Amino acid sequence: IDAIFVSRKRVESKTLKLESELKDMQAAIEQQIKEKNDPDMLYKYEQFFDVIEVIQAKEKELKNQIAASEANDSQSRYKKAKERVDELNAQLRAVNDDIELAVMETEHEA
């Protein structure tokens, strides 16, 4: 049970760090887009942001599932949920990379 608790805390810590970094990046990107006054880029950004919100909602749901699996002392369910959280974190990073590329393309076109 201790190993599960320690692993959960590590995942939570990494997730919180990623969420914080993502929020900072989102704010910076949003500011750049607003400064450029580019409706097409703003639309793309909003689409990416919608995807991010969906992924974050799934992540929250999985955190709840992790807590439930710990309560049931089910290591296999915890492992699956942890893997899913890792997958969602990877998706978040990929979406974030897409946002950065879109901003760079806009800057390059300008």
Side-chain angles (χ1 to χ4, degrees), residues 61-79:
E61 180 182 328
L62 286 171
K63 284 181 182 180
N64 292 336
Q65 289 176 1
I66 289 170
S69 72
E70 284 179 340
N72 294 329
D73 193 32
S74 173
Q75 289 183 351
S76 66
R77 284 179 34 185
Y78 174 78
K79 182 180 177 183

Side-chain angles (χ1 to χ4, degrees), residues 21-66:
E21 289 174 6
L22 183 60
K23 286 179 184 179
D24 291 344
M25 289 177 170
Q26 287 172 341
I29 291 169
E30 187 173 344
Q31 184 61 33
Q32 288 177 350
I33 292 171
K34 286 180 179 179
E35 288 173 2
K36 290 180 186 237
N37 197 20
D38 182 348
D40 291 332
M41 181 54 75
L42 184 59
Y43 176 74
K44 288 179 185 178
Y45 171 78
E46 289 171 350
Q47 285 180 321
F48 284 129
F49 191 74
D50 289 345
V51 170
I52 289 169
E53 286 179 338
V54 168
I55 291 171
Q56 287 173 333
K58 288 180 183 179
E59 180 183 25
K60 184 176 181 180
E61 180 182 328
L62 286 171
K63 284 181 182 180
N64 292 336
Q65 289 176 1
I66 289 170

